[in-house]
Amino acid sequence: MIKEKEKFMQEALLEAKKAAALGEIPIGCVIVWRGQIIGRGHNLREQTKQTHDHAEMIAIAQANRFLNSWRLEETELYVTLEPCPMCSGAIINARIPKVYYGAPDEKAGTAGTLMNLLTDPRFNHRVKVQKGLLRRECALLLSDFFAKLRKK
Amino acid sequence: MIKEKEKFMQEALLEAKKAAALGEIPIGCVIVWRGQIIGRGHNLREQTKQTHDHAEMIAIAQANRFLNSWRLEETELYVTLEPCPMCSGAIINARIPKVYYGAPDEKAGTAGTLMNLLTDPRFNHRVKVQKGLLRRECALLLSDFFAKLRKK
Protein backbone atom coordinates (compact mmCIF):
# COMPACT_ATOMS: atom_id res chain seq x y z
CA MET A 1 0.00 0.00 0.00
CA ILE A 2 1.33 3.43 -0.96
CA LYS A 3 1.47 5.83 1.96
CA GLU A 4 -0.22 9.19 1.59
CA LYS A 5 3.01 11.18 1.52
CA GLU A 6 4.37 8.94 -1.23
CA LYS A 7 1.18 9.51 -3.20
CA PHE A 8 1.76 13.25 -3.03
CA MET A 9 5.40 12.89 -4.08
CA GLN A 10 4.15 10.82 -7.04
CA GLU A 11 2.06 13.86 -7.98
CA ALA A 12 5.17 16.05 -7.76
CA LEU A 13 6.92 13.50 -10.03
CA LEU A 14 4.05 13.83 -12.52
CA GLU A 15 4.67 17.58 -12.54
CA ALA A 16 8.41 16.99 -13.07
CA LYS A 17 7.61 14.81 -16.11
CA LYS A 18 5.59 17.68 -17.61
CA ALA A 19 8.73 19.83 -17.36
CA ALA A 20 10.86 17.13 -19.05
CA ALA A 21 8.36 16.90 -21.92
CA LEU A 22 8.98 20.62 -22.54
CA GLY A 23 12.76 20.23 -22.45
CA GLU A 24 12.94 21.80 -18.99
CA ILE A 25 15.00 20.31 -16.15
CA PRO A 26 12.46 17.91 -14.59
CA ILE A 27 11.53 19.28 -11.19
CA GLY A 28 7.97 19.20 -9.87
CA CYS A 29 6.12 20.33 -6.78
CA VAL A 30 2.72 20.07 -5.12
CA ILE A 31 1.31 21.82 -2.06
CA VAL A 32 -1.21 20.00 0.11
CA TRP A 33 -3.74 21.58 2.48
CA ARG A 34 -6.06 19.39 4.56
CA GLY A 35 -5.39 16.38 2.35
CA GLN A 36 -6.07 18.24 -0.89
CA ILE A 37 -3.60 19.49 -3.53
CA ILE A 38 -4.05 23.28 -3.76
CA GLY A 39 -0.93 24.17 -5.75
CA ARG A 40 1.01 22.41 -8.49
CA GLY A 41 4.03 23.52 -10.45
CA HIS A 42 6.86 22.38 -12.68
CA ASN A 43 10.02 24.13 -13.73
CA LEU A 44 9.26 26.48 -16.64
CA ARG A 45 12.28 28.78 -16.61
CA GLU A 46 13.42 28.20 -20.19
CA GLN A 47 9.89 28.56 -21.58
CA THR A 48 8.92 31.72 -19.73
CA LYS A 49 12.43 33.19 -19.35
CA GLN A 50 11.45 34.21 -15.83
CA THR A 51 14.06 33.78 -13.07
CA HIS A 52 11.39 32.88 -10.54
CA ASP A 53 9.64 30.13 -12.52
CA HIS A 54 10.91 27.23 -10.45
CA ALA A 55 8.42 24.45 -9.60
CA GLU A 56 8.05 25.55 -5.97
CA MET A 57 7.39 29.22 -6.81
CA ILE A 58 4.65 28.33 -9.29
CA ALA A 59 3.02 25.94 -6.80
CA ILE A 60 3.23 28.56 -4.02
CA ALA A 61 1.62 31.22 -6.27
CA GLN A 62 -1.26 28.84 -7.05
CA ALA A 63 -1.72 27.96 -3.37
CA ASN A 64 -1.68 31.70 -2.52
CA ARG A 65 -4.58 32.21 -4.93
CA PHE A 66 -6.45 29.21 -3.53
CA LEU A 67 -6.18 30.34 0.10
CA ASN A 68 -6.30 34.06 -0.83
CA SER A 69 -3.28 34.59 1.40
CA TRP A 70 0.50 34.97 1.17
CA ARG A 71 0.67 32.78 4.29
CA LEU A 72 0.40 29.06 3.65
CA GLU A 73 0.04 27.81 7.20
CA GLU A 74 -1.29 24.24 7.61
CA THR A 75 0.21 23.18 4.28
CA GLU A 76 2.85 20.67 3.22
CA LEU A 77 5.13 21.13 0.24
CA TYR A 78 6.39 18.15 -1.78
CA VAL A 79 9.20 18.76 -4.27
CA THR A 80 11.28 16.29 -6.27
CA LEU A 81 14.59 18.20 -5.80
CA GLU A 82 15.97 19.95 -2.73
CA PRO A 83 15.04 23.66 -2.84
CA CYS A 84 17.47 26.39 -3.97
CA PRO A 85 17.90 29.53 -1.78
CA MET A 86 15.12 31.43 -3.63
CA CYS A 87 12.61 28.64 -3.12
CA SER A 88 13.71 28.01 0.49
CA GLY A 89 13.25 31.73 1.13
CA ALA A 90 9.76 31.65 -0.37
CA ILE A 91 8.89 28.61 1.77
CA ILE A 92 10.02 30.52 4.89
CA ASN A 93 8.16 33.69 3.82
CA ALA A 94 5.00 31.66 3.22
CA ARG A 95 5.31 30.05 6.70
CA ILE A 96 4.96 26.56 5.21
CA PRO A 97 5.38 24.20 8.20
CA LYS A 98 6.59 21.03 6.44
CA VAL A 99 8.65 20.20 3.35
CA TYR A 100 9.30 16.80 1.81
CA TYR A 101 11.95 16.55 -0.88
CA GLY A 102 13.21 13.70 -3.03
CA ALA A 103 16.74 14.11 -4.38
CA PRO A 104 19.47 16.24 -2.79
CA ASP A 105 20.93 19.11 -4.85
CA GLU A 106 24.70 19.14 -4.50
CA LYS A 107 24.99 22.47 -6.37
CA ALA A 108 22.35 24.68 -4.76
CA GLY A 109 20.50 22.68 -2.11
CA THR A 110 19.63 24.82 0.90
CA ALA A 111 17.55 22.34 2.89
CA GLY A 112 20.48 20.34 4.28
CA THR A 113 23.09 19.92 1.55
CA LEU A 114 25.02 23.21 1.19
CA MET A 115 23.26 24.67 4.21
CA ASN A 116 19.85 24.51 5.82
CA LEU A 117 17.91 27.76 5.55
CA LEU A 118 14.64 26.03 6.40
CA THR A 119 15.68 25.14 9.95
CA ASP A 120 17.86 28.21 10.61
CA PRO A 121 16.89 29.64 14.02
CA ARG A 122 17.75 33.19 12.89
CA PHE A 123 14.63 33.43 10.71
CA ASN A 124 11.14 34.09 12.10
CA HIS A 125 9.83 30.76 10.81
CA ARG A 126 11.31 27.27 10.87
CA VAL A 127 10.30 24.41 8.63
CA LYS A 128 10.29 20.68 9.36
CA VAL A 129 12.16 18.90 6.58
CA GLN A 130 11.96 15.27 5.48
CA LYS A 131 14.51 14.44 2.83
CA GLY A 132 14.85 11.42 0.56
CA LEU A 133 11.14 10.69 -0.07
CA LEU A 134 11.08 8.66 -3.34
CA ARG A 135 14.67 9.80 -3.72
CA ARG A 136 15.55 7.16 -6.34
CA GLU A 137 12.69 8.03 -8.69
CA CYS A 138 13.29 11.77 -8.29
CA ALA A 139 17.04 11.46 -8.95
CA LEU A 140 16.57 9.04 -11.87
CA LEU A 141 14.28 11.45 -13.69
CA LEU A 142 17.01 14.09 -13.48
CA SER A 143 19.92 11.81 -14.45
CA ASP A 144 17.94 10.42 -17.43
CA PHE A 145 17.18 13.96 -18.58
CA PHE A 146 20.84 15.02 -18.46
CA ALA A 147 22.01 11.77 -20.13
CA LYS A 148 19.64 12.39 -23.06
CA LEU A 149 20.78 16.02 -23.23
CA ARG A 150 24.43 14.96 -23.50
CA LYS A 151 23.59 12.53 -26.35
CA LYS A 152 22.09 15.33 -28.47
CA MET B 1 26.16 66.81 -7.44
CA ILE B 2 24.24 63.55 -7.00
CA LYS B 3 26.21 60.53 -8.10
CA GLU B 4 24.62 58.14 -10.56
CA LYS B 5 24.21 55.34 -8.06
CA GLU B 6 22.46 57.69 -5.65
CA LYS B 7 20.12 58.76 -8.44
CA PHE B 8 19.14 55.12 -8.96
CA MET B 9 18.60 54.59 -5.23
CA GLN B 10 16.34 57.67 -5.30
CA GLU B 11 14.30 55.85 -7.94
CA ALA B 12 14.10 52.81 -5.64
CA LEU B 13 12.92 55.18 -2.88
CA LEU B 14 10.21 56.50 -5.22
CA GLU B 15 9.04 52.89 -5.65
CA ALA B 16 9.07 52.40 -1.87
CA LYS B 17 6.82 55.45 -1.47
CA LYS B 18 4.32 53.90 -3.90
CA ALA B 19 4.16 50.88 -1.56
CA ALA B 20 3.61 53.12 1.50
CA ALA B 21 0.74 54.91 -0.29
CA LEU B 22 -0.97 51.51 -0.62
CA GLY B 23 -0.41 50.65 3.05
CA GLU B 24 2.35 48.19 2.16
CA ILE B 25 5.69 48.09 4.00
CA PRO B 26 7.70 50.67 1.98
CA ILE B 27 10.39 48.78 0.10
CA GLY B 28 11.34 49.64 -3.48
CA CYS B 29 13.73 48.35 -6.11
CA VAL B 30 15.07 49.21 -9.55
CA ILE B 31 17.28 47.22 -11.93
CA VAL B 32 19.68 49.06 -14.21
CA TRP B 33 21.17 47.79 -17.47
CA ARG B 34 23.61 49.94 -19.43
CA GLY B 35 22.58 53.07 -17.59
CA GLN B 36 18.86 52.48 -18.12
CA ILE B 37 16.18 51.30 -15.65
CA ILE B 38 14.71 48.08 -17.08
CA GLY B 39 12.85 46.83 -14.01
CA ARG B 40 11.00 48.56 -11.18
CA GLY B 41 9.07 47.13 -8.26
CA HIS B 42 7.60 47.86 -4.90
CA ASN B 43 6.34 45.57 -2.20
CA LEU B 44 2.77 44.47 -3.02
CA ARG B 45 2.33 41.43 -0.82
CA GLU B 46 -0.76 42.58 1.07
CA GLN B 47 -2.52 43.75 -2.11
CA THR B 48 -1.86 40.68 -4.23
CA LYS B 49 -1.66 38.13 -1.39
CA GLN B 50 1.25 36.53 -3.26
CA THR B 51 4.22 35.34 -1.18
CA HIS B 52 6.65 36.32 -3.92
CA ASP B 53 5.50 39.92 -4.42
CA HIS B 54 8.51 41.57 -2.81
CA ALA B 55 9.97 44.65 -4.56
CA GLU B 56 13.02 42.78 -5.89
CA MET B 57 11.01 39.87 -7.35
CA ILE B 58 8.69 42.24 -9.23
CA ALA B 59 11.65 44.25 -10.58
CA ILE B 60 13.46 41.04 -11.61
CA ALA B 61 10.36 39.76 -13.46
CA GLN B 62 10.12 43.05 -15.37
CA ALA B 63 13.83 42.98 -16.25
CA ASN B 64 13.43 39.33 -17.39
CA ARG B 65 10.74 40.46 -19.82
CA PHE B 66 12.84 43.40 -21.03
CA LEU B 67 15.94 41.28 -21.74
CA ASN B 68 13.87 38.20 -22.71
CA SER B 69 16.07 36.14 -20.43
CA TRP B 70 16.05 34.66 -16.94
CA ARG B 71 19.70 35.72 -16.73
CA LEU B 72 20.28 39.35 -15.83
CA GLU B 73 23.99 39.63 -16.51
CA GLU B 74 25.39 43.17 -16.82
CA THR B 75 22.73 44.57 -14.50
CA GLU B 76 22.78 46.30 -11.12
CA LEU B 77 20.01 46.00 -8.55
CA TYR B 78 19.18 48.86 -6.16
CA VAL B 79 16.90 48.09 -3.22
CA THR B 80 15.97 50.21 -0.21
CA LEU B 81 16.09 47.31 2.30
CA GLU B 82 18.55 44.43 2.54
CA PRO B 83 17.20 41.39 0.65
CA CYS B 84 15.49 38.45 2.40
CA PRO B 85 16.57 34.86 1.57
CA MET B 86 13.98 34.54 -1.24
CA CYS B 87 15.14 37.72 -2.95
CA SER B 88 18.83 36.96 -2.40
CA GLY B 89 18.22 33.55 -3.98
CA ALA B 90 16.50 35.14 -6.98
CA ILE B 91 19.43 37.59 -7.35
CA ILE B 92 21.85 34.63 -7.38
CA ASN B 93 19.66 32.64 -9.81
CA ALA B 94 19.45 35.66 -12.15
CA ARG B 95 23.27 36.06 -12.04
CA ILE B 96 22.95 39.73 -11.11
CA PRO B 97 26.56 40.93 -10.62
CA LYS B 98 26.02 43.89 -8.28
CA VAL B 99 23.56 44.84 -5.54
CA TYR B 100 23.26 48.15 -3.70
CA TYR B 101 21.04 48.29 -0.65
CA GLY B 102 20.02 51.06 1.72
CA ALA B 103 18.94 49.93 5.18
CA PRO B 104 20.00 46.68 6.89
CA ASP B 105 17.28 44.18 7.84
CA GLU B 106 17.96 42.84 11.33
CA LYS B 107 15.16 40.26 11.03
CA ALA B 108 15.72 38.65 7.63
CA GLY B 109 18.70 40.34 5.94
CA THR B 110 20.78 37.83 3.99
CA ALA B 111 23.27 40.18 2.35
CA GLY B 112 25.45 40.70 5.40
CA THR B 113 23.26 40.99 8.49
CA LEU B 114 22.05 37.49 9.47
CA MET B 115 24.27 35.87 6.85
CA ASN B 116 25.53 36.70 3.38
CA LEU B 117 24.06 34.43 0.71
CA LEU B 118 25.14 36.82 -2.08
CA THR B 119 28.85 36.30 -1.50
CA ASP B 120 28.70 32.63 -0.41
CA PRO B 121 31.36 30.69 -2.34
CA ARG B 122 29.25 27.52 -2.31
CA PHE B 123 26.83 28.91 -4.91
CA ASN B 124 27.60 29.05 -8.64
CA HIS B 125 27.35 32.84 -8.71
CA ARG B 126 28.64 35.51 -6.38
CA VAL B 127 27.35 39.06 -6.12
CA LYS B 128 29.22 42.23 -5.23
CA VAL B 129 27.35 44.02 -2.47
CA GLN B 130 27.45 47.67 -1.45
CA LYS B 131 25.44 48.36 1.66
CA GLY B 132 24.29 51.62 3.23
CA LEU B 133 23.59 53.63 0.05
CA LEU B 134 21.17 56.40 1.18
CA ARG B 135 20.75 54.35 4.32
CA ARG B 136 19.17 57.16 6.34
CA GLU B 137 16.43 57.94 3.81
CA CYS B 138 15.68 54.25 3.30
CA ALA B 139 15.51 53.50 7.03
CA LEU B 140 13.48 56.64 7.81
CA LEU B 141 10.79 55.70 5.32
CA LEU B 142 10.39 52.36 7.12
CA SER B 143 10.47 53.76 10.67
CA ASP B 144 7.91 56.49 9.75
CA PHE B 145 5.63 53.84 8.26
CA PHE B 146 5.75 51.67 11.38
CA ALA B 147 5.32 54.70 13.69
CA LYS B 148 2.13 55.69 11.82
CA LEU B 149 0.91 52.08 11.92
CA ARG B 150 1.33 51.94 15.70
CA LYS B 151 -0.68 55.19 16.10
CA LYS B 152 -3.69 53.69 14.29
Side-chain angles (χ1 to χ4, degrees):
Chain A
M1 206 184 84
I2 294 175
K3 282 180 201 158
E4 199 180 41
K5 59 189 183 180
E6 285 165 1
K7 185 188 79 182
F8 289 128
M9 188 60 92
Q10 290 286 4
E11 292 290 328
L13 275 162
L14 269 179
E15 285 298 314
K17 285 169 193 166
K18 291 182 196 169
L22 295 165
E24 298 273 1
I25 299 175
I27 305 161
C29 178
V30 299
I31 296 175
V32 175
W33 175 74
R34 301 182 181 176
Q36 174 191 3
I37 294 175
I38 62 163
R40 315 183 63 102
H42 53 275
N43 177 30
L44 279 175
R45 196 170 63 166
E46 300 297 337
Q47 312 289 306
T48 63
K49 303 186 190 305
Q50 287 283 318
T51 304
H52 66 252
D53 271 347
H54 282 195
E56 298 95 313
M57 301 298 283
I58 295 168
I60 287 171
Q62 202 178 333
N64 289 148
R65 287 190 292 275
F66 184 90
L67 292 177
N68 195 34
S69 173
W70 59 262
R71 287 170 184 264
L72 300 177
E73 288 149 355
E74 293 184 65
T75 65
E76 293 176 343
L77 184 144
Y78 294 77
V79 60
T80 59
L81 184 69
E82 185 181 356
C84 78
M86 172 180 75
C87 294
S88 288
I91 289 163
I92 294 166
N93 289 351
R95 319 281 199 268
I96 295 175
K98 177 101 195 197
V99 165
Y100 296 88
Y101 73 85
D105 184 355
E106 305 294 336
K107 287 184 181 166
T110 56
T113 299
L114 297 185
M115 63 186 71
N116 198 334
L117 294 173
L118 297 182
T119 58
D120 194 307
R122 288 170 290 183
F123 295 121
N124 65 352
H125 175 72
R126 275 162 296 283
V127 183
K128 283 187 187 152
V129 180
Q130 186 181 323
K131 64 179 181 175
L133 181 62
L134 303 188
R135 177 182 174 151
R136 239 186 100 171
E137 293 89 324
C138 293
L140 199 63
L141 202 58
L142 284 160
S143 55
D144 278 357
F145 177 82
F146 287 112
K148 277 178 198 157
L149 208 65
R150 276 190 298 271
K151 269 194 196 164
K152 276 184 191 170
Chain B
M1 205 184 82
I2 294 176
K3 284 180 196 155
E4 199 182 40
K5 59 188 182 180
E6 286 165 1
K7 186 188 78 181
F8 289 128
M9 189 60 91
Q10 291 286 4
E11 292 290 329
L13 276 162
L14 268 180
E15 286 299 315
K17 285 169 193 166
K18 290 181 197 170
L22 295 166
E24 298 273 359
I25 299 174
I27 306 162
C29 177
V30 298
I31 296 175
V32 176
W33 175 75
R34 300 180 182 176
Q36 174 191 2
I37 294 175
I38 63 164
R40 314 183 65 103
H42 52 273
N43 176 30
L44 279 175
R45 196 169 64 168
E46 301 297 337
Q47 310 290 305
T48 64
K49 304 188 191 303
Q50 287 283 318
T51 303
H52 66 252
D53 272 345
H54 282 195
E56 300 94 311
M57 301 299 283
I58 294 167
I60 288 171
Q62 202 176 335
N64 288 147
R65 287 191 290 274
F66 184 89
L67 293 176
N68 196 33
S69 173
W70 57 262
R71 286 170 184 265
L72 301 177
E73 287 148 357
E74 295 183 62
T75 65
E76 293 175 343
L77 183 145
Y78 294 77
V79 61
T80 58
L81 183 69
E82 184 180 358
C84 79
M86 174 180 73
C87 294
S88 289
I91 289 164
I92 294 167
N93 290 351
R95 318 283 199 266
I96 294 174
K98 177 103 196 192
V99 165
Y100 297 89
Y101 74 82
D105 183 355
E106 306 295 336
K107 286 185 182 168
T110 56
T113 299
L114 296 187
M115 62 185 74
N116 197 332
L117 294 174
L118 297 182
T119 59
D120 195 305
R122 290 170 288 182
F123 295 121
N124 65 352
H125 175 73
R126 274 163 294 283
V127 183
K128 283 185 187 153
V129 180
Q130 187 183 322
K131 64 178 181 175
L133 181 62
L134 303 189
R135 176 182 173 148
R136 239 186 101 171
E137 292 90 324
C138 293
L140 199 62
L141 202 58
L142 284 160
S143 56
D144 278 357
F145 177 82
F146 287 112
K148 275 177 198 159
L149 208 64
R150 275 191 298 271
K151 268 192 197 164
K152 275 182 190 171

